[in-house]
Amino acid sequence: VNSSGMLIIPPYVSSFTISVETYNDDLFKNSIYLDVNVGTKSGKITITNEEDRPALTITNSQVIEGNYGVFTLGVTKASATDTAVDLEFDVLGQTASITDYVDNIEVLVDGIWVNAVKIGSRYIVTIPALDTDTEIRVLTVSDNIIKGDKTLKIKANIQGVLPTITGTINIIDKDTAVVDVEDVIVNETEGVVRVPIRMSKANANSVSLNVVTEDATADSNDYVCINTIVTFPAGSTEQFVDIVIRQDSIYEGPETFN
């Protein structure tokens, strides 16, 4: 082929091969096509790019409840066009419930966090052309309830491409409870004293405490010692224990036990 794009076919040649050199630019592109016209005939060269097809990656995160869990969503190779990624909360694979996080995914665009597009239960995030990653985040909820640590999982896949991968946020429960036993004054003639036991925060699950009395100036001649279990149902912060007081006809003055 000369500089004018003219192909000179020597006499008596009935067939020939046309070769076109392609370049490896290390960018993923969908298949592209090159039309070759010779006289009234035409052909098509298909340039595939499967060896450069990127794989999706997602990082894990750990966060104290009430803060954002941040993921880095990436591809192993830049693409010549935007890469659309489908995201979805893995509600069956995670231990976190909808009360532990805000059902929304934000994406960092030009330094500003914006809400990802949501269609049904899926969110769509775009990794811009020529970029290899972007950041997404999910807000966790501080609920003042003891639940223990939870896991939040997000499933991700490039639109129309398998496999699906999963990123995990470990949500650290910052809530702890302090147990308090209220001081009570009782006359021995009353026969029974009811003692309130309180927890400073509710627990999402039932909690059992071992309650044991301990002599001070009073002993087993003055009350019936106990060694028992008190259970706080889920969400409860107060329970009571009843202790029998022994009545006698001897003046002893005020006495105490723990």
Side-chain angles (χ1 to χ4, degrees):
V1 180
N2 62 25
S3 59
S4 300
M6 182 73 69
L7 176 65
I8 306 300
I9 304 174
Y12 308 111
V13 174
S14 60
S15 66
F16 53 88
T17 300
I18 298 175
S19 297
V20 177
E21 185 178 2
T22 61
Y23 297 96
N24 183 5
D25 54 14
D26 208 35
L27 282 176
F28 174 71
K29 306 181 185 76
N30 292 318
S31 295
I32 56 178
Y33 305 95
L34 177 65
D35 290 326
V36 178
N37 298 309
V38 180
T40 60
K41 303 297 183 181
S42 64
K44 180 178 290 186
I45 298 174
T46 302
I47 304 174
T48 60
N49 201 211
E50 287 302 311
E51 69 278 7
D52 287 330
R53 182 176 291 278
L56 189 64
T57 64
I58 189 169
T59 60
N60 296 322
S61 178
Q62 180 168 289
V63 63
I64 296 174
E65 66 174 8
N67 296 290
Y68 282 96
V70 179
F71 298 94
T72 298
L73 187 66
V75 286
T76 54
K77 186 169 290 190
S79 176
T81 56
D82 292 346
T83 301
V85 179
D86 286 337
L87 303 171
E88 190 171 5
F89 291 108
D90 185 6
V91 294
L92 298 179
Q94 63 192 23
T95 59
S97 68
I98 191 59
T99 61
D100 298 312
Y101 62 95
V102 177
D103 185 9
N104 185 48
I105 294 177
E106 298 178 33
V107 58
L108 190 62
V109 178
D110 296 329
I112 300 174
W113 289 102
V114 298
N115 292 336
V117 175
K118 186 177 184 182
I119 301 176
S121 62
R122 295 183 300 110
Y123 293 85
I124 300 173
V125 169
T126 298
I127 300 176
L130 306 183
D131 285 351
T132 56
D133 60 56
T134 191
E135 289 190 329
I136 61 173
R137 70 180 186 179
V138 177
L139 180 61
T140 63
V141 174
S142 178
D143 50 21
N144 211 36
I145 299 174
I146 302 170
K147 295 180 177 179
D149 297 347
K150 301 286 185 178
T151 58
L152 170 65
K153 295 178 181 286
I154 290 181
K155 298 185 294 184
N157 69 279
I158 297 174
Q159 281 190 348
V161 179
L162 295 176
T164 296
I165 62 174
T166 302
T168 301
I169 298 177
N170 291 317
I171 306 173
I172 307 301
D173 188 358
K174 65 179 177 58
D175 297 306
T176 58
V178 176
V179 178
D180 178 67
V181 180
E182 183 176 317
D183 293 337
V184 179
I185 298 175
V186 63
N187 192 300
E188 69 174 15
T189 59
E190 295 182 27
V192 175
V193 59
R194 170 158 284 192
V195 180
I197 302 173
R198 299 186 178 93
M199 292 200 305
S200 59
K201 291 184 179 180
N203 198 303
N205 302 301
S206 63
V207 175
S208 295
L209 302 178
N210 185 217
V211 178
V212 181
T213 52
E214 181 181 63
D215 292 348
T217 55
D219 58 25
S220 59
N221 293 315
D222 303 299
Y223 70 97
V224 176
C225 302
I226 63 169
N227 185 342
T228 189
I229 300 295
V230 173
T231 298
F232 289 75
S236 172
T237 58
E238 184 177 59
Q239 292 296 307
F240 300 90
V241 62
D242 292 332
I243 301 174
V244 175
I245 303 299
R246 300 185 190 276
Q247 183 178 357
D248 57 36
S249 57
I250 303 172
Y251 175 74
E252 298 172 302
E255 295 178 299
T256 62
F257 64 91
N258 299 315

